[in-house]
Amino acid sequence: MVDASGTVASSRAARRGTGARGRGRPRDPGLEERTRLVALELFGKRGFSGLTIDEVAATAKIGKSSIYLRWPDKQTLLADALRGIQGADPAQAATGTDDDAYERPEGRSTPEPQTLRDYLLAHVHRRADLYLGPYGLAMLRLYVEARAYPDLFGAIREQAISRLVLDERERVAQAVRAGVLPPDAAPVRILDAVEGAIFMHLLVTPPELLDRVRAGLDDYVERMVDDQLRAAGYDAQADAERVRRLSPPGS
């Protein structure tokens, strides 16, 4: 912009050339994920009382204001981080078994149907990967602190664990309704047995033997899930037929 004499009226306007960056720093696409992972690491090492927004910000090399823009407090941050490492999509966890599984609104994605056995195998492997992974200590810490401080951890437990557990129970309940498990099969007991088996198998293993556990994990998981389903009266043939019937044409 120039005045009547042709001189520049505003040096600030002159500096704003085409393609110049606007005010503020560019958005860091990895900020949220980095913040969550740092929160998990610190929680696993220090527990909830030792987890502070100050240390999360310093370790993740971000400003505290950036954290508070996304999470109002450390409880919300921790719940979000714990939910993020569960390794399951709650929106899809209870789908794929009912007769109307493929009668979805147009545009909504539908997961491929699975037998109950395949679902449980995938579930147990997710849990094993979680406990054996870099943030397994955070999950173990959560179980202990949720019991010690139920009021403080009530909301965190609800967001990070309870909703997923309910979805998993519904998946087994669908198998009961479908007739691939007998009417008296109890989803809670089946999942407790499966989840408890992998939890104890990994929890009691000394650190120096974890590599051996990893090497034999596939075989252990398959045998354990088959043992539990056999005891529950699972009809594998009926389940396989059901999946074939539910599969989209041409799949």
Side-chain angles (χ1 to χ4, degrees), residues 117-131 168 191 193-199 202 217 220-222 224-225:
R117 180 180 186 272
D118 287 342
Y119 173 85
L120 290 177
L121 289 175
H123 163 70
V124 174
H125 275 292
R126 283 195 302 268
R127 304 306 285 176
D129 290 343
L130 177 59
Y131 295 138
E168 291 158 2
L191 284 169
V194 170
E195 177 80 25
I198 193 63
F199 182 82
L202 300 177
L217 192 60
Y220 174 84
V221 169
E222 286 205 22
M224 181 268 290
V225 168

Side-chain angles (χ1 to χ4, degrees), residues 95-207:
T95 60
T97 57
D98 283 344
D99 287 334
D100 63 349
Y102 281 90
E103 297 176 7
R104 306 283 180 191
E106 186 176 354
R108 180 176 172 183
S109 63
T110 304
E112 290 295 324
Q114 286 181 299
T115 65
L116 178 62
R117 180 180 186 272
D118 287 342
Y119 173 85
L120 290 177
L121 289 175
H123 163 70
V124 174
H125 275 292
R126 283 195 302 268
R127 304 306 285 176
D129 290 343
L130 177 59
Y131 295 138
L132 289 170
Y135 306 106
L137 185 58
M139 285 302 301
L140 299 178
R141 178 84 69 175
L142 173 61
Y143 296 141
V144 174
E145 298 214 16
R147 177 63 63 88
Y149 308 105
D151 293 337
L152 178 62
F153 277 82
I156 293 178
R157 183 179 179 85
E158 168 66 19
Q159 293 184 51
I161 297 177
S162 299
R163 293 177 187 176
L164 290 170
V165 170
L166 291 175
D167 286 326
E168 291 158 2
R169 289 177 183 173
E170 172 58 20
R171 178 60 179 83
V172 180
Q174 287 175 354
V176 176
R177 295 196 295 269
V180 299
L181 285 172
D184 61 348
V188 172
R189 290 197 298 270
I190 292 172
L191 284 169
D192 281 353
V194 170
E195 177 80 25
I198 193 63
F199 182 82
M200 288 303 299
H201 184 59
L202 300 177
L203 183 64
V204 302
T205 299

Side-chain angles (χ1 to χ4, degrees), residues 1 5-7 15 25 39 50 52 62 64-65 67 101 139 157 159 208 225 236 244 247:
M1 182 177 184
S5 64
T7 59
R15 287 196 300 268
R25 297 179 179 178
T52 67
I62 59 177
K64 286 197 298 181
S65 61
I67 295 178
M139 285 302 301
R157 183 179 179 85
Q159 293 184 51
E208 65 271 16
V225 168
R244 280 193 287 271
S247 297

Side-chain angles (χ1 to χ4, degrees), residues 5-71:
S5 64
T7 59
V8 176
S10 171
S11 60
R12 182 171 59 185
R15 287 196 300 268
R16 291 200 301 263
T18 302
R21 193 172 67 198
R23 292 181 179 180
R25 297 179 179 178
R27 178 177 175 83
D28 179 356
L31 183 148
E32 293 183 1
E33 181 69 6
R34 190 164 72 251
T35 304
R36 293 187 190 99
L37 297 183
V38 167
L40 290 171
E41 180 182 0
L42 295 177
F43 173 66
K45 291 179 178 177
R46 303 188 189 352
F48 189 74
S49 62
L51 176 66
T52 67
I53 294 295
D54 285 345
E55 189 170 9
V56 171
T59 306
K61 296 181 173 57
I62 59 177
K64 286 197 298 181
S65 61
S66 294
I67 295 178
Y68 284 120
L69 280 173
R70 293 160 174 82
W71 302 279

